[in-house]
Amino acid sequence: MNITVIGTGYVGLVTGTCLAELGNNVFCLDVDRDKIDMLNRGEIPIYEPGLKELVDRNRAAGRLRFSTDVPASVAHGDIQFIAVGTPPDEDGSADLQYVLAAARNIGRHMDGFKVVVDKSTVPVGTAEKVHAAIAQELAARRLTHSPGFAVVSNPEFLKEGAAVEDFMRPDRLVIGTDNSPAGQQARESMDRLYAPFTRNHDRILHMDVRSAEFTKYAANAMLATRISFMNELANLADRVGVDIEHVRKGIGSDPRIGYSFLYAGTGYGGSCFPKDVQALVRTAAEHGQSLQVLQAVEAVNQCQKQVLVDKIVAHYGENLSGRTFALWGLAFKPNTDDMRAAPSRVIVAELVRRGARVQVNDPVAMAEARRCLALDGTDLTSVTFHELPMQALQNADALVIATEWKAYRSPDFQAMKAALRSPVIFDGRNLYEPTEMKQAGIHYEGIGRRAGENAA
């Protein structure tokens, strides 16, 4: 099938590349000339395991191309995926300007039936706005025979760091269409497109458009809720002498609960959970409802990003002048260079504000971290970037862990003790066992691990 994907950000690039891998002829459009030039040089603007290899293979096979040519992109794809950004406005609502601009471009240039797919995460009712934008452009063209179209909601459920795997082996495919003849035609087109995923069993969930739009927000809000719930319990566990890891296993073994997203830490970040929780809260407010649970989820998450700083201050005092801290992990999660809403940004800024120097390491996110920290106004003269984790430890007063990269899971603890001024670890991802750290002579503070820290 001929597919157009509008937007070469995270969702767009993964979607277009994986659809090409399935044998489709994919045209990826972006109005950012620099990004398109980069992609045509064989460079990838994001870090995602396995993505570059797929891009290279499908470009070489002629199934994947990148361009800024809007009319050509509209002419190419029978199915037009809109996968542009929906950044939060100041009030937390999703900014739809790029989505609607893409819709208007389709309406200006289309000359045959198009299936227009909202792949971006958008609020309930966006498909109707997209439909209206396209219809308005078609009306302005005063065509004798206006081409038909249908708008579909097909939200993505991709985890950064595992997006290729998630796309190629989906848990479910949510497709929202209406019951009009055009909607039925669109449904059949989407079924054909996703047929390779349904050979073993049907993963497609058909529903109305608004329910599909809502499903994406509901899924992310639920996952964010689990994270904030466990972080609050972990903070209480520290106070009452409980090991949250034991609790996690105890409740996760209940099949009604399960183990996923029950790990205590320094809070969630990235491009999805913060934005989507805020957007859902805003949507509710626009309809006269207060989502008190999700408001609490967001508030807990903001506080959780300060927890490691609070532990450091409790240990060393408010004034950290003259102190140096090693920080392992900058990206909001492993296997990505995404620094959006990353807890490390709060941690570094707070340590520097209190007079400390910070020596940081991340396997892939250091360039992006440097850019984001500068945007935050953090004094980069107090931050040094080190290519190797052990280099970041040299002469530091303590190690702070903000991201659970695999490279940090099994270090040489004796070498670590030798590099640090004092053997102290503040672990925001609970990578190590408190009893083992005590036996190694390391002062260790995790999140909700106080019982383990005090164990004999």
Side-chain angles (χ1 to χ4, degrees), residues 47 331 333-338 361-369 405:
Y47 178 81
K333 63 180 288 188
N335 297 320
T336 181
D337 62 352
D338 196 340
N361 169 265
D362 188 282
V364 302
M366 288 202 292
E368 181 66 5
W405 285 94

Side-chain angles (χ1 to χ4, degrees), residues 62-347:
R63 293 190 298 265
L64 181 65
R65 58 174 162 152
F66 303 101
S67 176
T68 59
D69 189 335
V70 173
S73 74
V74 177
H76 174 85
D78 300 317
I79 301 178
Q80 303 266 324
F81 280 91
I82 298 178
V84 296
T86 54
D89 274 338
E90 290 184 5
D91 63 0
S93 62
D95 185 348
L96 297 178
Q97 63 172 311
Y98 304 114
V99 170
L100 297 179
R104 285 190 288 270
N105 280 336
I106 294 170
R108 289 188 191 112
H109 299 288
M110 61 187 285
D111 57 7
F113 186 85
K114 301 292 182 183
V115 177
V116 180
V117 182
D118 285 337
K119 198 68 173 172
S120 303
T121 301
V122 292
V124 173
T126 297
E128 294 160 22
K129 295 178 180 179
V130 168
H131 193 283
I134 296 172
Q136 185 177 23
E137 292 296 331
L138 287 172
R141 291 167 63 185
R142 300 180 183 276
L143 300 172
T144 304
H145 299 289
S146 182
F149 69 96
V151 180
V152 174
S153 176
N154 175 219
E156 53 83 16
F157 298 96
L158 306 177
K159 298 186 295 292
E160 291 191 49
V164 171
E165 177 72 11
D166 286 347
F167 194 101
M168 301 304 285
R169 299 177 182 274
D171 297 317
R172 75 284 203 198
L173 294 158
V174 172
I175 298 176
T177 56
D178 61 37
N179 291 322
S180 68
Q184 291 302 309
Q185 186 175 342
R187 172 173 172 161
E188 292 169 4
S189 294
M190 296 300 290
D191 284 349
R192 286 196 303 273
L193 177 64
Y194 287 135
F197 299 124
T198 62
R199 286 180 180 152
N200 291 330
H201 65 273
D202 191 359
R203 292 178 171 86
I204 295 178
L205 300 175
H206 286 291
M207 59 185 70
D208 63 276
V209 175
R210 282 181 164 246
S211 294
E213 292 170 334
F214 198 84
T215 295
K216 170 64 176 180
Y217 277 118
N220 280 352
M222 172 62 78
L223 297 176
T225 299
R226 287 170 69 100
I227 293 170
S228 283
F229 173 77
M230 285 303 292
N231 283 336
E232 278 218 301
L233 290 189
N235 296 338
L236 177 60
D238 271 340
R239 292 177 178 269
V240 298
V242 168
D243 189 334
I244 198 65
E245 276 295 288
H246 294 163
V247 176
R248 178 185 67 80
K249 295 172 184 176
I251 65 176
S253 59
D254 185 331
R256 296 171 300 175
I257 298 172
Y259 292 102
S260 297
F261 289 84
L262 291 183
Y263 290 89
T266 58
Y268 58 77
S271 63
C272 295
F273 290 0
K275 173 175 68 70
D276 294 352
V277 168
Q278 292 168 16
L280 196 52
V281 168
R282 179 63 183 175
T283 296
E286 291 171 354
H287 290 80
Q289 182 178 353
S290 175
L291 295 185
Q292 297 179 48
V293 170
L294 291 188
Q295 290 173 11
V297 166
E298 176 68 10
V300 168
N301 192 60
Q302 291 305 314
C303 292
Q304 197 67 18
K305 294 179 181 182
Q306 295 277 355
V307 165
L308 279 185
V309 175
D310 293 342
K311 289 177 178 287
I312 292 168
V313 168
H315 188 82
Y316 293 105
E318 294 281 348
N319 187 351
L320 300 178
S321 296
R323 299 284 183 185
T324 299
F325 296 93
L327 179 73
W328 281 2
L330 292 162
F332 87 94
K333 63 180 288 188
N335 297 320
T336 181
D337 62 352
D338 196 340
M339 288 291 298
R340 286 173 287 186
S344 66
R345 295 171 69 164
V346 174
I347 295 167

